[in-house]
Amino acid sequence: MKVIHLNHPIDDQERAELLFTGHLLVYTQRESMIELIEFTKALLKEHLGELDPTHAQHQLNKQDFLKATGAAQTQFRCSEKARQLFFHVLNECGIDPKVCYYDHFPLRVVPFAEQHKGADRAAIGYHRDTWGSNINCQQNWWAPIFDLTTERTIAIYPDYWGKPLANTTATWCFDTLLEKRNEAQRERIFDYPSAPSPIEKVNEDGVVKLIIQPGDVLNFASAQLHASVPNTSSETRFSVEMRTISVEDLNTMRQAPNLDNAGTKPMYSWFKNIETKQALVY
């Protein structure tokens, strides 16, 4: 695996050929990503006032922190401007919007320590995103809003690109997830895993804890095993993410290998076209 830094766009085919052989791409200082960061900081200020978002945990109790950050996440998720800015980011990386489909675009919040976590305010454990979608040509895009450290970032496990990991894909059910989520209060914890997870210990020896700058965008195959680094710093991590599919990759069978996913139903319905907003039917 190589971490390839790019200061220019590349087309969908070149990108797919790199990602689906296990490489990671970092697009440096995308203009629209810098604009999106400023938009996100302004949104956080609406809900946190003059508090520094990365240090707000020091001033707020758990309930107030969850309420404020949850409201910011909801507003971000519903913001057409935020989505459009990130679509511009994708354009600056070289995607063809006519054949590109996306699923959703959340603001991720990872508090430090354990006392302020809840629902979408928590570290995400080991997983491949393809374990949930069952679409092997899916790609992930990830970008920080504030500075990162090795104690506050994303972790990639390249050794598992060619190595299976026992997991719960045979028993996890998306319909059950929806049922439990609908029963729960918005942005709060519910008692069903949001995605399949490993059932054997992950070897940490080969972990890559990526440090990229605000304004950079990380792109990797959704089949890469990855996780949030448990936040042992003293600052909250804020990041954004999106998953995409190119119809051309589907048509030409450009995709990552499936080593350990027992799921069989491709979740094409999760994805909408960037330009037309039409659901992916395949």
Side-chain angles (χ1 to χ4, degrees):
M1 182 200 81
K2 296 179 181 178
V3 180
I4 302 171
H5 289 78
L6 300 166
N7 60 8
H8 59 275
I10 58 175
D11 65 32
D12 290 343
Q13 180 175 345
E14 182 180 0
R15 179 183 315 105
E17 290 171 351
L18 290 168
L19 297 181
F20 299 147
T21 51
H23 300 304
L24 311 181
L25 306 179
V26 177
Y27 304 87
T28 56
Q29 296 301 293
R30 302 294 89 177
E31 182 178 345
S32 294
M33 188 65 226
I34 295 170
E35 186 176 351
L36 176 61
I37 287 171
E38 294 308 309
F39 170 85
T40 306
K41 288 180 177 178
L43 185 153
L44 289 168
K45 187 173 183 179
E46 289 182 35
H47 298 279
L48 291 168
E50 296 304 317
L51 294 178
D52 178 346
T54 66
H55 289 86
Q57 277 183 257
H58 295 286
Q59 284 82 38
L60 299 176
N61 61 36
K62 178 177 180 177
Q63 182 177 357
D64 290 341
F65 178 81
L66 291 177
K67 181 178 179 180
T69 53
Q73 287 175 299
T74 298
Q75 185 176 342
F76 185 92
R77 185 176 60 247
C78 296
S79 171
E80 181 62 24
K81 181 175 181 179
R83 278 192 299 275
Q84 289 298 326
L85 282 171
F86 201 73
F87 293 157
H88 290 317
V89 173
L90 297 180
N91 287 337
E92 290 171 12
C93 296
I95 68 105
D96 180 353
K98 296 187 294 298
V99 298
C100 184
Y101 289 71
Y102 74 101
D103 61 350
H104 65 293
F105 186 48
L107 173 64
R108 187 73 62 188
V109 181
V110 181
F112 61 85
E114 294 290 317
Q115 67 272 19
H116 281 67
K117 72 176 184 178
D120 289 334
R121 273 66 41 87
I124 301 177
Y126 310 105
H127 66 289
R128 307 184 198 267
D129 281 59
T130 49
W131 283 351
S133 68
N134 309 313
I135 302 172
N136 294 321
C137 65
Q138 183 178 299
Q139 300 179 17
N140 279 34
W141 304 81
W142 184 90
I145 301 301
F146 299 95
D147 289 337
L148 300 172
T149 68
T150 54
E151 298 81 23
R152 185 179 63 253
T153 188
I154 189 172
I156 307 288
Y157 296 84
D159 289 351
Y160 287 90
W161 180 255
K163 177 182 176 181
L165 180 66
N167 60 76
T168 61
T169 52
T171 56
W172 183 82
C173 177
F174 179 65
D175 290 338
T176 302
L177 170 65
L178 287 183
E179 179 183 341
K180 296 295 185 181
R181 179 181 289 168
N182 290 336
E183 291 172 357
Q185 185 178 348
R186 183 177 291 276
E187 309 291 1
R188 296 303 171 116
I189 291 175
F190 49 91
D191 61 349
Y192 193 79
S194 60
S197 59
I199 54 176
E200 68 172 294
K201 186 176 181 179
V202 173
N203 186 337
E204 291 276 346
D205 289 347
V207 64
V208 175
K209 298 178 181 180
L210 283 162
I211 304 298
I212 64 175
Q213 301 304 311
D216 295 349
V217 181
L218 171 65
N219 181 206
F220 58 96
S222 299
Q224 287 278 7
L225 186 70
H226 60 286
S228 302
V229 173
N231 190 348
T232 57
S233 72
S234 62
E235 299 182 14
T236 304
R237 196 199 86 194
F238 293 84
S239 57
V240 297
E241 60 196 62
M242 184 178 283
R243 279 146 292 277
T244 61
I245 293 171
S246 168
V247 172
E248 292 304 314
D249 290 341
L250 283 172
N251 290 340
T252 59
M253 298 285 291
R254 286 193 296 255
Q255 60 185 24
N258 176 14
L259 302 176
D260 51 24
N261 184 7
T264 58
K265 181 182 179 182
M267 304 305 291
Y268 297 129
S269 61
W270 291 357
F271 293 82
K272 296 184 291 187
N273 181 261
I274 285 179
E275 288 193 343
T276 68
K277 303 300 184 289
Q278 295 298 308
L280 175 59
V281 178
Y282 195 80

